[in-house]
DNA sequence: AATGGGACCTGCGCGC
DNA sequence: TGCGCGCAGGTCCCAT
């Protein structure tokens, strides 16, 4: 499940190898992931344009194009961007759209579950998703973060995963940050003490930064552009560890469901 | 405002 | 071995 660190990892890799190249052809194997415009227009809008710049906003990737338009890519849960496809290799089963670049190499968009979203738009700033997107954790100061939690009775985990409130945090890093901050994920956000809010803010930024450093977490389908796995998985404290021993207290990691999402925590360490 | 549920999808792992 | 089922989670949308 690509979250901020995974999408940032991909962004940084693409910066080095894709920016400045021209798209010469677009091969569509499954048009379901093309959300706008329609397939034929989508292809036409991308043909023979150069990728000028890549931007990440929350979990969304934005390719600014020489035409003035933008290609936006949301990986959702199982999306991958892979480059370059090995010479002569056929597309994978999950390869939905491929971009042929000016050097003849292919950038593949793979997505097993077809939840991913590709768009070509005139102004990416006008996308509803972008307009409603909350601030990046790294752009906030502590007082702003405290303000966000202050008057909300929503469970703190659900709140920090709300992209309209703060952008980039998904299920995995929400679980990990709350464990590190020793906060029970089910606590209403407004019940956190001043100290707890400060610690949570610190741990959110820390866990995201560390995850970026290690190339993200390869659980499910996430891999880097090179196809290599992200190495942050080995630092996970609670995610997907139901019934296993807590590394800190030797209690058992529990799994509950909050807002329909798997929530992992240690009831002894997190209060 | 908060919460719960379903929808979108496929592949995996489980129990039988 | 095979079959059916529940589950995984990013986002949107609807109902209460």
């Amino acid at each position: 499940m690509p979250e901020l660190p995974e999408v940032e990892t991909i962004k940084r890799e693409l910066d080095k190898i894709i920016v400045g190249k021209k798209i010469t052809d677009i091969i569509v194997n499954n048009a379901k992931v093309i959300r706008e415009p329609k397939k034929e227009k989508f292809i036409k809008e991308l043909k023979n344009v150069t990728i000028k710049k890549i931007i990440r906003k929350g979990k969304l990737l934005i390719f600014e194009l020489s035409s003035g338009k933008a290609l936006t890519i949301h990986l959702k849960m199982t999306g991958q961007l892979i480059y370059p496809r090995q010479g002569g290799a056929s597309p994978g089963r999950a390869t939905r759209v491929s971009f042929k670049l000016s050097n003849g190499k292919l950038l593949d968009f793979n997505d097993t579950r077809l939840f991913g979203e590709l768009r070509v738009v005139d102004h990416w700033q006008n996308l509803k998703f972008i307009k409603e997107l909350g601030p990046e954790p790294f752009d906030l100061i502590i007082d702003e973060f405290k303000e966000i939690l202050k008057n909300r009775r929503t469970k703190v985990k659900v709140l920090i995963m709300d992209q309209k409130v703060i952008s980039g945090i998904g299920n995995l890093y929400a679980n990990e940050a709350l464990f590190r901050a020793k906060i029970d994920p089910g606590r209403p956000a407004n019940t956190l003490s001043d100290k707890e809010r400060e610690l949570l803010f610190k741990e959110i930024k820390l866990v995201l930064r560390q995850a970026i450093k290690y190339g993200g977490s390869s659980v499910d389908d996430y891999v880097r552009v090179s196809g290599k796995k992200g190495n942050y998985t080995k630092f996970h404290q609670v995610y997907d560890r139901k019934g296993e021993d807590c590394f800190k207290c030797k209690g058992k990691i529990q799994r509950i469901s909050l807002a329909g999402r798997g929530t992992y925590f240690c009831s002894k360490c997190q209060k």
Side-chain angles (χ1 to χ4, degrees):
Chain A
M1 65 244 16
E3 304 179 25
L4 188 154
E6 287 75 28
V7 182
E8 179 65 18
T9 298
I10 290 171
K11 189 250 175 207
R12 291 182 187 183
E13 292 184 311
L14 292 174
D15 271 344
K16 287 187 233 157
I17 53 183
I18 297 291
V19 168
K21 291 191 170 65
K22 188 199 270 188
I23 299 170
T24 59
D25 207 2
I26 300 95
I27 303 111
V28 178
N29 297 315
N30 191 323
K32 199 159 264 180
V33 295
I34 299 174
R35 307 302 168 127
E36 67 173 306
K38 294 240 189 302
K39 177 184 162 187
E40 291 72 24
K41 195 170 180 209
F42 179 88
I43 291 171
K44 202 173 150 214
E45 302 253 3
L46 289 175
K47 208 157 186 170
N48 297 319
V49 300
T50 299
I51 298 162
K52 303 270 283 185
K53 188 179 176 187
I54 301 177
I55 298 166
R56 179 190 59 74
K57 291 283 175 191
K59 303 170 194 171
L60 186 72
L61 278 172
I62 300 151
F63 293 51
E64 289 191 337
L65 307 170
S66 55
S67 60
K69 303 187 184 223
L71 165 67
T72 68
I73 300 183
H74 201 305
L75 302 171
K76 292 289 179 82
M77 259 101 65
T78 54
Q80 300 175 328
L81 284 166
I82 304 292
Y83 176 89
R85 189 195 300 170
Q86 294 310 309
S90 51
R93 181 156 59 151
T95 300
R96 309 306 186 184
V97 177
S98 304
F99 304 92
K100 193 169 190 182
L101 304 180
S102 39
N103 59 6
K105 293 181 177 173
L106 287 162
L107 169 68
D108 284 329
F109 175 73
N110 300 339
D111 185 14
T112 292
R113 290 173 68 182
L114 296 168
F115 286 174
E117 300 188 350
L118 307 188
R119 300 188 144 80
V120 175
V121 295
D122 289 342
H123 302 288
W124 60 264
Q125 294 89 343
N126 291 345
L127 285 169
K128 185 169 175 279
F129 178 81
I130 290 289
K131 285 190 164 175
E132 294 178 349
L133 198 62
E136 295 263 326
F138 300 121
D139 293 342
L140 282 175
I141 59 169
I142 179 63
D143 288 348
E144 292 169 329
F145 182 77
K146 285 183 183 174
E147 198 60 32
I148 283 172
L149 302 190
K150 205 171 127 188
N151 295 317
R152 304 292 298 268
R153 266 159 289 184
T154 313
K155 295 176 173 65
V156 60
K157 175 175 178 257
V158 178
L159 191 69
I160 62 173
M161 283 177 64
D162 185 341
Q163 302 303 297
K164 296 177 176 73
V165 169
I166 183 168
S167 57
I169 304 165
N171 198 36
L172 197 162
Y173 296 107
N175 280 304
E176 293 296 324
L178 284 161
F179 174 80
R180 285 152 183 270
K182 303 182 175 68
I183 296 166
D184 184 325
R187 291 259 303 278
N190 63 352
T191 66
L192 269 62
S193 71
D194 222 43
K195 269 220 169 76
E196 286 174 323
R197 289 184 286 172
E198 281 167 22
L199 187 58
L200 179 58
F201 187 50
K202 194 180 122 199
E203 295 296 344
I204 285 172
K205 290 190 290 182
L206 199 65
V207 78
L208 294 177
R209 242 187 238 119
Q210 283 180 352
I212 292 170
K213 187 173 155 192
Y214 286 90
S217 301
S218 278
V219 296
D220 295 334
D221 288 4
Y222 167 74
V223 287
R224 307 171 64 148
V225 176
S226 60
K228 284 191 199 134
K229 292 191 171 188
N231 288 323
Y232 193 67
T233 321
K234 61 184 171 204
F235 297 98
H236 294 178
Q237 302 285 304
V238 288
Y239 184 76
D240 207 19
R241 297 194 63 242
K242 180 187 175 184
E244 295 177 35
D245 290 349
C246 171
F247 293 133
K248 284 226 175 83
C249 76
K250 304 298 170 201
K252 294 268 183 265
I253 302 300
Q254 301 181 37
R255 182 194 184 278
I256 59 168
S257 181
L258 289 185
R261 296 290 166 257
T263 300
Y264 300 88
F265 67 108
C266 172
S267 58
K268 228 171 137 186
C269 291
Q270 293 171 257
K271 297 294 178 192

